[in-house]
Amino acid sequence: MQPPAERASLAAPWRRAAQGANLLAADGGLGVTIFEEMTTLAVQTGAINLGQGFPDEDGPQSMKDAARDAIAAGANQYAPGKGFPVLREAVAAHQERFYGLAVDPESEVIITTGATEALAASLLAFVQPGDEVVTFEPFYDAYGAIISLAGATHVTAPLSAPDFLPELASLEAAFSSRTRAILLNNPHNPAGSVFPRELLQGIVDLAVKHDALIISDEVYEHLTFGVPHIPVATLPGAADRTITISSAGKTFSFTGWKIGWLSGPKDLVAAVRTVKQFLSYSSGTPFQGAVAAGLALPDEFFADAASTLQRKRDILSAGLRAAGFDVFTPQGTYFVNVDTAPLGITDSVDLARRLPGLVGVAAIPVPVFCHPEGAERVRSLLRFAFCKKVDLLEEAAARLATLGSKL
Ligand code: PMP
Ligand code: GLN
């Protein structure tokens, strides 16, 4: 039997997904995601892994106890397709508590296998071959892959250092009569920017003008540093065209549980649910109640999560500055970007591959979050994750301080 690479046409979905996420190797073979590549390299070299964004400490013990108790009590079979009522109700209560958004847990919320499935089901539900989907660039790698799987065209508008906030004029230029959706990510991975209200309103106005859907990935909603997170769905004109996506992974430091959710107008949510049934059907039975309990934690829990992370941002940023990088202070997320150019580096992809061997630290090069044409603008940028224990961040900073002498 021939290997799939030889049998499948260029348009095969797996190849389109690989192309969308920049996973095609130079020889036409398939690579793995940059996160997997860098985590594997970190493990092989024993490097401190500041690449893939996952915390090195678990979230609340009460949530772990709830999941363990659920397994012991026999919550081990399929969850309902749209998720258990307790979690849908908790998502609705969370949207009301933090943002004043009234969401019907019965018809306007579904629970998904992480934010990733929510993104995939939303795009596959609404986007056809020939449609265009707008994102900012750099963009989270799954966006390119899923847009390609849907057979759509991915159009981007640039985000640039130092603040990585878009200009509305360049966003407007990305819209056309074929734009079906804008896929927004706020707070933004990898850039770390948090969009202010006027900018979000400008985006909504463009979506209204072009009759485009807004699919808003807000997985870092609680991880902002001194600036508020504003869900785009709260802005005038947005509610009836917006699907809002989030996940327990980042807020509660349980990235491996893969419990996500989405909310939006009933008719849109029903269409997404139709697709979602045929992706995973449902998942995470013993975790759903635990996440519902997490969403009901007092306000202090959410405030502490952000302030703890802000302190870690500051520790790593100071170390990166001392190592000679230009540091772009993020307003949210797990990530800080630096420019490596002051150290004489022009290619951060090459540096990222050598960094674990050189100083024992792994990071992610920002050009992998871009199409080849857009990669040039961020050629020397590198992304570091600071969702790690303080002593590990300090050790990483000490190691990076030696980089200049090893290049
Ligand atoms: N969106 C963004 C912006 C992310 O950074 C991630 C990675 N956590 C995801 C979606 C995927 O989230 P999940 O693990 O819940 O599928
Ligand atoms: N969201 C994580 C990051 O940006 C990675 C998740 C993954 O490995 N797919 O680092």
Side-chain angles (χ1 to χ4, degrees):
M1 195 174 178
Q2 286 176 310
E6 286 158 41
R7 267 193 297 132
S9 78
L10 270 182
W14 60 267
R15 182 168 283 276
R16 286 205 306 267
Q19 261 163 348
N22 299 324
L23 283 191
L24 287 187
D27 63 1
L30 288 172
V32 293
T33 75
I34 189 67
F35 307 116
E36 195 164 339
E37 179 185 344
M38 288 303 155
T39 290
T40 305
L41 193 58
V43 170
Q44 278 165 359
T45 57
I48 296 176
N49 188 358
L50 304 186
Q52 195 175 29
F54 61 91
D56 59 356
E57 288 176 289
D58 287 344
Q61 185 62 39
S62 59
M63 291 176 70
K64 293 206 283 188
D65 291 345
R68 195 199 50 215
D69 292 351
I71 290 174
N76 300 302
Q77 310 306 331
Y78 291 127
K82 62 182 180 181
F84 284 107
V86 66
L87 182 50
R88 283 187 276 109
E89 282 158 16
V91 168
H94 169 276
Q95 297 303 87
E96 175 74 46
R97 166 158 66 131
F98 287 99
Y99 310 123
L101 271 172
V103 175
D104 174 22
E106 207 32 55
S107 60
E108 296 180 330
V109 179
I110 48 181
I111 308 308
T112 55
T113 305
T116 307
E117 189 192 37
L119 287 160
S122 301
L123 286 162
L124 292 170
F126 298 115
V127 172
Q128 313 276 343
D131 288 344
E132 293 178 356
V133 179
V134 174
T135 76
F136 294 112
E137 184 180 48
F139 52 85
Y140 181 55
D141 67 340
Y143 296 0
I146 300 168
I147 292 167
S148 298
L149 274 176
T153 302
H154 187 180
V155 182
T156 60
L159 298 180
S160 299
D163 62 7
F164 295 101
L165 291 173
E167 281 170 20
L168 282 175
S170 60
L171 181 61
E172 176 142 37
F175 276 81
S176 81
S177 57
R178 286 192 305 227
T179 305
R180 179 71 178 120
I182 171 156
L183 173 48
L184 203 61
N185 176 208
N186 177 42
H188 190 277
N189 177 16
S193 42
V194 177
F195 297 175
R197 183 178 297 275
E198 317 74 64
L199 182 60
L200 286 168
Q201 188 64 59
I203 294 171
V204 172
D205 295 346
L206 279 174
V208 170
K209 183 171 160 195
H210 293 270
D211 196 21
L213 282 172
I214 303 171
I215 300 173
S216 188
D217 175 350
E218 304 185 5
V219 297
Y220 299 98
E221 62 184 315
H222 286 291
L223 306 179
T224 66
F225 314 130
V227 289
H229 169 68
I230 302 170
V232 70
T234 59
L235 296 181
D240 62 351
R241 62 178 64 246
T242 301
I243 293 179
T244 305
I245 293 173
S246 194
S247 153
K250 313 297 167 177
T251 300
F252 300 112
S253 298
F254 289 125
T255 61
W257 286 13
K258 295 297 287 190
I259 300 290
W261 53 86
L262 61 86
S263 58
K266 187 172 158 181
D267 51 338
L268 298 186
V269 169
V272 178
R273 188 186 166 200
T274 305
V275 175
K276 184 257 184 290
Q277 295 181 106
F278 303 111
L279 296 178
S280 65
Y281 179 60
S282 70
S283 64
T285 293
F287 301 118
Q288 291 198 17
V291 171
L295 286 170
L297 285 169
D299 291 358
E300 302 81 71
F301 165 80
F302 297 89
D304 284 355
S307 60
T308 303
L309 200 58
Q310 179 167 356
R311 192 170 145 248
K312 294 178 174 191
R313 171 199 72 172
D314 293 341
I315 290 167
L316 184 64
S317 299
L320 292 167
R321 230 170 259 120
F325 297 115
D326 267 352
V327 177
F328 307 118
T329 304
Q331 293 186 304
T333 78
Y334 281 170
F335 310 111
V336 56
N337 291 284
V338 302
D339 194 348
T340 63
L343 292 177
I345 291 154
T346 52
D347 180 354
S348 63
V349 177
D350 173 64
L351 178 67
R353 294 204 163 107
R354 293 193 298 132
L355 201 59
L358 281 172
V359 295
V361 177
I364 304 285
V366 179
V368 302
F369 298 107
C370 298
H371 290 141
E373 320 81 63
E376 217 35 59
R377 283 182 306 105
V378 294
R379 182 57 62 207
S380 56
L381 303 196
L382 206 52
R383 188 197 84 173
F384 290 88
F386 49 81
C387 47
K388 306 290 173 182
K389 292 194 189 90
V390 165
D391 54 356
L392 200 77
L393 295 173
E394 284 169 347
E395 173 60 23
R399 293 184 186 189
L400 286 162
T402 67
L403 179 62
S405 63
K406 293 185 175 163
L407 287 168

